[in-house]
Amino acid sequence: MTGYRAGLISGTLAMAFVGSSAAVSPLLTDYPVLTGQAWRYAAAALLLLGYLWLRRLPWVRVGRSDWARLVLLAATGLAAFNVCLLQAARYTDPPVLGAIVGAAPLVLAIVGPLLAGRRPSPLVATSAVIVVVGVGTVLGGGDFSLPGVLWSLGALAGECLFSLLAVPLLPRLGPVRISAYTCALASVMLAVAALLVERSDVATVPTDVEVLSLAFLAVFVTAVAFALWYAAVGSLGVDRAGLLAGLVPVAATLIAVAIDTTTLSLQVLVGAVLVGAGVSLGMLPPRRRPGGGEAGHAEQRPASRRSAQVEQVGGLP
């Protein structure tokens, strides 16, 4: 179970890093969002590629089908995710947006196994329902509209595709390469989007605080968190790893309490307990088959990383 525990630890750390961005995101409200995201992913890609070079890891040939999947992953799980998140934030309140994107554990618990050719685990699916209810409780309610819900559903799709599309690539490319390549591709896509949408604002010079904030997002919330997350997906399976995504709003809220930007309410405590209970239930060791295999966990190489709103509402990209 060593690999299983390692996956649990790496996934939890990844979500803790993503949740920590809630303390940094407010410092970037005056900086062009798409431009900032482009810089963030570009810096993360350079860090990850530098890590591969320093480790002198062997070159792995990336075929055309692999590149097509990587491009699709970057386009949907990173670039489009950010666009949908930004648009959703214009039409609905953050708690509603976060609750919809927070349904990712349930989607991954069902869709992940189906794509792998096996039936979803009733235990993991039940755990995912508990986690999603807990996320909704932590975030609370808010106003919403049809456009806001539709954009939020788009963000939810991007959040799930960020993991699902990586599953077939993990055995050959590994977590660091996938993270590096998708960050590089997303940075180009977002740079183009910034030129089209933010136009002259792309030349905005960031302040010292904004530079430090973008650096934090690039290093910890992107480069480190992405690699840890994909490692968790490869060890736990996309369905079980997806449960850990519910920790993001909990971590973000607890950090906000720690830095005295919010207060700890009974509602948040109840939600955090529900998320913890759901994750704990879903992470119970898989049952052993008589022959030594693990029932309900045949797939071990599966896979669920944002603008300021992303980290706050519970998404990874």
Side-chain angles (χ1 to χ4, degrees):
M1 295 298 291
T2 302
Y4 193 78
R5 291 196 186 98
L8 179 57
I9 293 172
S10 64
T12 301
L13 285 175
M15 295 301 96
F17 280 128
V18 173
S20 70
S21 65
V24 176
S25 298
L27 303 176
L28 292 167
T29 53
D30 294 329
Y31 192 74
V33 177
L34 293 175
T35 302
Q37 293 300 298
W39 283 118
R40 165 194 171 186
Y41 288 123
L46 289 175
L47 288 170
L48 292 164
L49 291 171
Y51 173 82
L52 291 172
W53 180 77
L54 288 174
R55 289 290 306 277
R56 299 210 189 321
L57 297 179
W59 171 258
V60 176
R61 183 179 178 277
V62 183
R64 281 184 293 182
S65 61
D66 293 334
W67 277 120
R69 184 175 287 271
L70 286 168
V71 169
L72 185 60
L73 196 165
T76 58
L78 298 181
F81 173 86
N82 279 282
V83 172
C84 288
L85 207 63
L86 292 171
Q87 290 297 317
R90 294 176 55 191
Y91 297 100
T92 191
D93 288 345
V96 176
L97 171 57
I100 293 176
V101 177
L106 181 57
V107 176
L108 294 174
I110 296 173
V111 177
L114 291 176
L115 291 178
R118 59 185 176 88
R119 283 185 291 183
S121 164
L123 175 65
V124 177
T126 301
S127 302
V129 171
I130 297 173
V131 169
V132 170
V133 172
V135 169
T137 304
V138 169
L139 294 171
D143 296 328
F144 63 92
S145 64
L146 180 58
V149 170
L150 293 177
W151 282 113
S152 298
L153 289 173
L156 170 62
E159 168 78 355
C160 295
L161 289 171
F162 176 76
S163 296
L164 295 172
L165 288 172
V167 174
L169 299 171
L170 279 170
R172 277 202 336 108
L173 300 182
V176 178
R177 289 189 184 89
I178 294 176
S179 300
Y181 298 159
T182 52
C183 283
L185 291 166
S187 68
V188 175
M189 297 174 188
L190 286 165
V192 172
L195 288 171
L196 295 174
V197 177
E198 296 171 343
R199 301 186 181 181
S200 60
D201 288 342
V202 299
T204 301
V205 178
T207 65
D208 292 344
V209 172
E210 289 169 340
V211 169
L212 291 174
S213 300
L214 288 171
F216 180 87
L217 293 178
V219 176
F220 296 105
V221 182
T222 308
V224 175
F226 281 20
L228 287 173
W229 180 251
Y230 282 138
V233 164
S235 299
L236 300 175
V238 70
D239 50 352
R240 279 185 168 83
L243 297 175
L244 297 174
L247 297 175
V248 174
V250 176
T253 302
L254 293 178
I255 290 171
V257 171
I259 62 177
D260 202 25
T261 59
T262 188
T263 56
L264 190 61
S265 65
L266 178 60
Q267 175 180 316
V268 170
L269 284 174
V270 171
V273 169
L274 286 172
V275 170
V279 171
S280 299
L281 179 64
M283 292 298 169
L284 289 176
R287 291 182 295 106
R288 292 281 178 179
R289 289 197 183 99
E294 293 179 346
H297 195 58
E299 177 210 13
Q300 289 288 332
R301 298 177 302 187
S304 192
R305 285 43 317 21
R306 253 143 193 136
S307 69
Q309 279 287 348
V310 180
E311 290 90 4
Q312 290 179 320
V313 301
L316 183 68

